[in-house]
Amino acid sequence: MSVKRRNCGWGVWLALGLTLSVGSARATAATLAEGGRTDYRIVIAAQAIPSERYAAEELARYLERMTGAKLPIVTDAEPAQPKEILLGDNAHLRSLGAAIDFAKLGAEGYVTRTAGDRLVIVGGRPRGTLYGVYALLEEKLGVRWFTPEIDFVPERKRLELPRLDETHIPALAYREVYWTEMLRDADFAARHRLNGNNYALTEKHGGRGAVYFPFVHSLDALVPPELFQEHPEYFPLIDGKRVNGYVQRCLANPDVLRIATARVRQWLKEHPDANIISVSQNDAFKYCQCDLCKALDDAEGSPSASLLKFVNAIAANIEPDYPNVRIDTLAYQYTRKPPKTIRPRANVIVRLCSIECCFAHPLETCSAPENKRFRDDIIAWESVAPVVYVWDYTPNFAHYEQPFPNFDALQANVQFFTRRGVKGLFEQGNSSRGGFGEMGPLRAYLLAELEWDPNTDLKRHTQEFLHAYFGAAAEDVAAYLDLLERQTRDKGFHAHIYDPPTAAYLNDELIDGADKLFDHALRAAENDAVRSRVEVARLPIWYVKLAAKRVSGDERAALLKQFLTVARRAGVTDIREGGSLDDWAKTMGGE
Ligand SMILES: [Zn+2]
Ligand SMILES: [Zn+2]
């Protein structure tokens, strides 16, 4: 990981935020566009890959929106001229004698540099150049992508060429924000430089960085449950009996290994794009305690021993034929602690899951014992695993619409992960079809910003988003979020992802204070779009009142009706992980 920044003055006006219209003039700066006209053009290689051509189109599109000037896109087959933006590796760049270390840049790193009147944006393939363009637009030129529908492009009568000399390689190689608000639009995800498995990223985006097959919990697919009738010995021995259903497998059984290995090889043939194969436990406990499994797990001090030995054997088997494919497994619940001596092979990814933790306070500093255990485990894995990814959790999964006071800890947690050498981060959110869970659009935005740059100015991003999204109601919504965070910040209440609507932090102070703030926000809202967003932001407070039975009789019936009207208008489909809004409405006595 390396992030090097040298930045001549542009950071100053960026820090001033969205209100500033034009950067301060520098005597030596070249003018990129003025009065809707430009002398510049964008140059790509005649042999540019699709993501480099798309990078040129995106850059031209946003520069035109900023300045009114349309930059032509040409190839390096044309003779060079002094005023050019050079995108990607091309003949004009090479004739400048620019030394670019492409091996170091990898698939996503990039260099942005000014050379005379030229601007160079060049990255590793397939995504580096496109990411360089997005980073320039966002970090230097003030463009913002808040939601797929709401962006901000500062207008400039005169735009000077920024003086740049930077090399950037993302701290996280795998970045995935699993919120509907990010999943539903691949162009939007790409602009945030997310490269995860579940985005519909195509060639023009440079594809995905992590292409999993399958994504997780693959034991049923590896060794089918139907085999139990004939081979109960493939299945876990629990309390002296082989059990079936949604369970793990006896990983010490050589036939289980043989069947699973064959299945992995079949997947690799059927999914030639996959660069990560999941060999991971089912989403259950029920692991094998036969003599063989138990002896190894006891000796190694953790049931992760049997799993890792099994995973390593498959990883060793495929490595000669598939040197660029890695096997991913979970360190999750009963396997979260690493074994004493068994080490993951170089082509194994360990994905550590934080599901039990308190998320109100930073994982690293919260006093809850579950957080201390997680800290111990991540530190232990870091020292033995070649590649650690984290699977992290960001809403309340039992109550998607319930206030979840984790904003305080988001940045500290991502920083903690990267400081511990984590290379990939999957931020699980509300991924229901309709989205619009509690603060979904804001959460998706902030998490994307953090995954790209763990040290980014998250406060500024929060303020910018709230102003863009909630308009004149932004201050009230900001005050509401602060009120929510205050319930856990100083009071010693922890917050977990399955907390009930009666959790201690969902108290009168929050509910009464939130009602006042949202009443005010609705009066402040300047138009129907903002009013509608404020109502959706208020759903969590109504949800707590309904689900915790804080209201009764006619008041309850009216509030339920109002809740359902606002939620359905927003398109909310799910009220919890695996539970529909419509089913919930029925259990609540609504329609
Ligand atoms: Zn066993
Ligand atoms: Zn805590």
Side-chain angles (χ1 to χ4, degrees):
M1 163 197 349
S2 88
V3 180
K4 196 175 70 182
R5 295 238 161 119
R6 255 194 295 148
N7 187 342
C8 307
W10 286 67
V12 176
W13 64 256
L14 252 189
L16 294 175
L18 301 177
T19 52
L20 209 131
S21 58
V22 181
S24 61
R26 286 169 49 90
T28 56
T31 301
L32 202 59
E34 186 166 17
R37 297 179 51 81
T38 182
D39 298 330
Y40 274 82
R41 57 188 198 169
I42 298 170
V43 181
I44 56 174
Q47 312 300 327
I49 60 174
S51 68
E52 291 164 351
R53 284 199 292 275
Y54 183 61
E57 291 161 16
E58 286 281 82
L59 183 61
R61 185 175 1 260
Y62 282 97
L63 289 179
E64 186 177 2
R65 282 182 63 187
M66 289 179 80
T67 66
K70 199 174 176 64
L71 275 72
I73 300 169
V74 302
T75 75
D76 57 0
E78 302 217 358
Q81 64 176 42
K83 296 202 168 179
E84 290 182 334
I85 300 178
L86 305 178
L87 281 197
D89 192 12
N90 65 62
H92 295 198
L93 175 69
R94 272 174 257 133
S95 72
L96 292 177
I100 307 289
D101 185 349
F102 285 101
K104 186 181 144 201
L105 294 178
E108 302 189 326
Y110 59 83
V111 172
T112 46
R113 186 182 293 169
T114 19
D117 283 347
R118 292 183 182 84
L119 172 61
V120 173
I121 306 171
V122 56
R125 286 181 168 176
R127 290 176 297 279
T129 298
L130 181 62
Y131 286 178
V133 164
Y134 288 139
L136 176 87
L137 289 170
E138 182 176 15
E139 295 166 13
K140 310 298 178 199
L141 301 181
V143 173
R144 298 287 182 269
W145 296 284
F146 293 115
T147 73
E149 292 77 29
I150 302 173
D151 61 12
F152 174 82
V153 181
E155 288 179 15
R156 298 185 197 290
K157 287 196 170 56
R158 179 160 185 268
L159 182 64
E160 285 168 13
L161 182 69
R163 294 279 148 199
L164 298 166
D165 185 5
E166 301 184 3
T167 298
H168 187 93
I169 294 160
L172 292 163
Y174 161 55
R175 302 171 301 278
E176 183 146 21
V177 173
Y178 198 65
W179 278 84
T180 302
E181 282 73 9
M182 199 50 79
L183 293 162
R184 69 187 169 89
D185 189 311
D187 288 349
F188 182 62
R191 286 172 183 146
H192 280 283
R193 284 138 273 160
L194 295 167
N195 66 359
N197 180 74
N198 296 285
Y199 305 118
L201 297 169
T202 61
E203 239 187 353
K204 73 170 186 182
H205 307 110
R208 296 172 285 171
V211 183
Y212 273 86
F213 191 87
F215 189 56
V216 72
H217 302 312
S218 60
L219 267 186
D220 271 12
L222 286 164
V223 184
E226 301 78 63
L227 292 174
F228 186 82
Q229 302 314 324
E230 236 174 286
H231 294 286
E233 74 277 13
Y234 294 175
F235 291 78
L237 186 85
I238 295 173
D239 297 332
K241 243 182 78 189
R242 297 284 169 180
V243 296
N244 61 356
Y246 192 53
V247 298
Q248 313 300 345
R249 299 292 182 268
C250 177
L251 300 177
N253 184 305
D255 287 337
V256 167
L257 177 61
R258 182 180 51 76
I259 293 165
T261 306
R263 181 55 58 98
V264 166
R265 284 187 165 271
Q266 182 195 338
W267 286 342
L268 285 164
K269 282 210 186 76
E270 291 168 356
H271 304 274
D273 289 350
N275 56 21
I276 304 177
I277 298 290
S278 168
V279 177
S280 61
Q281 69 206 58
N282 282 334
D283 196 2
F285 285 79
K286 299 193 177 167
Y287 56 93
C288 188
Q289 290 156 22
C290 76
D291 289 346
L292 278 174
C293 287
K294 192 171 183 324
L296 179 65
D297 292 343
D298 286 353
E300 291 280 336
S302 170
S304 62
S306 308
L307 177 66
L308 198 55
K309 187 178 175 206
F310 177 78
V311 167
N312 274 344
I314 295 174
N317 181 284
I318 67 152
E319 189 175 54
D321 299 325
Y322 300 95
N324 299 317
V325 173
R326 291 176 296 175
I327 302 290
D328 175 289
T329 198
L330 296 176
Y332 174 56
Q333 296 181 328
Y334 70 92
T335 58
R336 220 191 53 203
K337 189 168 169 248
K340 280 183 197 153
T341 69
I342 299 176
R343 299 292 176 248
R345 290 175 54 85
N347 61 338
V348 168
I349 297 167
V350 173
R351 200 154 38 156
L352 190 70
C353 307
S354 61
I355 192 164
E356 301 87 353
C357 292
C358 162
F359 294 101
H361 314 111
L363 289 164
E364 193 174 19
T365 53
C366 168
S367 61
E370 55 273 24
N371 287 37
K372 182 180 181 319
R373 283 193 292 273
F374 182 83
R375 284 195 298 277
D376 291 347
D377 288 348
I378 197 170
I379 290 166
W381 278 112
E382 178 202 4
S383 62
V384 301
V387 186
V388 176
Y389 286 0
V390 164
W391 181 307
D392 195 35
Y393 302 79
T394 53
N396 184 313
F397 285 85
H399 306 275
Y400 273 161
E401 289 296 344
Q402 189 166 299
F404 196 51
N406 64 342
F407 285 98
D408 267 7
L410 291 178
Q411 181 154 29
N413 288 350
V414 177
Q415 289 175 335
F416 174 57
F417 299 147
T418 50
R419 216 167 40 245
R420 303 298 345 175
V422 168
K423 288 293 174 208
L425 180 54
F426 177 81
E427 289 287 10
Q428 189 178 5
N430 174 346
S431 58
S432 69
R433 183 166 44 84
F436 288 105
E438 184 246 5
M439 289 289 161
L442 172 64
R443 292 179 178 282
Y445 181 75
L446 295 182
L447 289 166
E449 292 293 333
L450 282 172
E451 288 205 355
W452 174 249
D453 178 5
N455 298 319
T456 197
D457 185 347
L458 202 68
K459 274 206 175 75
R460 178 168 61 79
H461 287 305
T462 306
Q463 286 169 357
E464 288 179 356
F465 184 95
L466 294 178
H467 281 100
Y469 195 77
F470 292 110
E475 292 306 325
D476 292 313
V477 178
Y480 159 70
L481 289 175
D482 186 59
L483 177 65
L484 171 62
E485 292 303 305
R486 284 208 310 273
Q487 303 316 309
T488 49
R489 192 179 294 155
D490 314 317
K491 295 184 181 176
F493 300 139
H494 301 290
H496 301 80
I497 64 165
Y498 300 116
D499 283 346
T502 51
Y505 53 84
L506 303 174
N507 50 37
D508 292 348
E509 182 186 338
L510 173 72
I511 303 297
D512 297 346
D515 269 336
K516 286 194 187 77
L517 289 166
F518 281 117
D519 282 341
H520 192 264
L522 285 171
R523 288 197 298 274
E526 64 268 47
N527 58 42
D528 285 348
V530 168
R531 223 169 345 265
S532 165
R533 289 180 206 136
V534 171
E535 284 179 339
V536 174
R538 191 179 200 167
L539 286 175
I541 296 302
W542 291 347
Y543 181 85
V544 172
K545 287 187 184 183
L546 291 163
K549 300 192 172 68
R550 286 170 160 267
V551 284
S552 58
D554 290 348
E555 193 190 351
R556 180 178 182 282
L559 188 64
L560 180 61
K561 198 169 167 208
Q562 203 174 6
F563 180 95
L564 293 171
T565 302
V566 172
R568 284 176 178 146
R569 195 184 58 215
V572 173
T573 49
D574 293 29
I575 201 73
R576 60 178 166 81
E577 191 177 24
S580 77
L581 177 69
D582 290 348
D583 287 348
W584 177 80
K586 281 182 206 129
T587 66
M588 297 296 284
E591 287 166 14

